[in-house]
Amino acid sequence: QNSMVLSAAIFITLIGLIIYLHFVKIDQESLLVIGSLGIQVTSSYASGKESTTFIEMGQVKDVVINEAIHMQKVIYYLCILLQDPEDPQGISEVVPLFQSSKPRLDCLIEVYKSCQEILDQRKTAPQSS
């Protein structure tokens, strides 16, 4: 009976590990910004599974670096602010990026500058009707 309980515990642990690797453990995160199309956020899990989210550039109001206090520590993260369709000056949603990798502030600043360059090009480019 003890060996049966031990076997069941090992089996449940293995199943839990597989679920963790497939759905929770993010191995790599990437951000692709194309001024004329939008922003693609890709998360690669430890199991090899990939999750991709695309945000149309028309929905993007701005990209900002936000800060939060967590466990007596200030953490910084990059966010996409989505424009409220009913109120052009309002924000409908804040989409945090790089939640698993938690890059340092100097890395976030480099990504932020690149995103702002692309967003500024989009704002200064002539709009076609």
Side-chain angles (χ1 to χ4, degrees):
Q1 177 161 354
N2 286 342
S3 64
M4 198 160 130
V5 171
L6 184 59
S7 297
I10 291 171
F11 180 74
I12 291 171
T13 303
L14 287 174
I15 295 296
L17 181 62
I18 290 170
I19 290 171
Y20 173 76
L21 290 175
H22 193 68
F23 294 108
V24 179
K25 174 78 170 97
I26 294 178
D27 209 23
Q28 182 180 357
E29 294 174 298
S30 66
L31 179 70
L32 174 65
V33 182
I34 301 174
S36 60
L37 293 175
I39 298 174
Q40 178 179 304
V41 181
T42 304
S43 299
S44 300
Y45 292 84
S47 66
K49 180 184 118 176
E50 283 192 352
S51 171
T52 301
T53 305
F54 183 77
I55 301 169
E56 292 180 32
M57 198 52 85
Q59 295 179 300
V60 176
K61 183 171 180 72
D62 204 358
V63 175
V64 297
I65 295 177
N66 205 354
E67 62 183 15
I69 298 173
H70 177 72
M71 300 292 289
Q72 303 171 347
K73 181 179 171 186
V74 177
I75 58 171
Y76 300 93
Y77 55 97
L78 201 65
C79 291
I80 300 173
L81 304 179
L82 299 184
Q83 196 166 4
D84 189 354
E86 296 164 4
D87 178 17
Q89 299 301 323
I91 297 168
S92 67
E93 190 177 345
V94 177
V95 180
L97 303 173
F98 306 120
Q99 290 295 288
S100 292
S101 55
K102 295 182 178 77
R104 296 184 326 262
L105 180 58
D106 58 335
C107 296
L108 287 178
I109 289 172
E110 290 299 318
V111 175
Y112 169 79
K113 286 179 181 177
S114 299
C115 290
Q116 287 301 323
E117 284 178 21
I118 294 169
L119 291 175
D120 288 343
Q121 287 173 2
R122 179 192 68 159
K123 291 174 186 172
T124 58
Q127 299 292 326
S128 59
S129 300

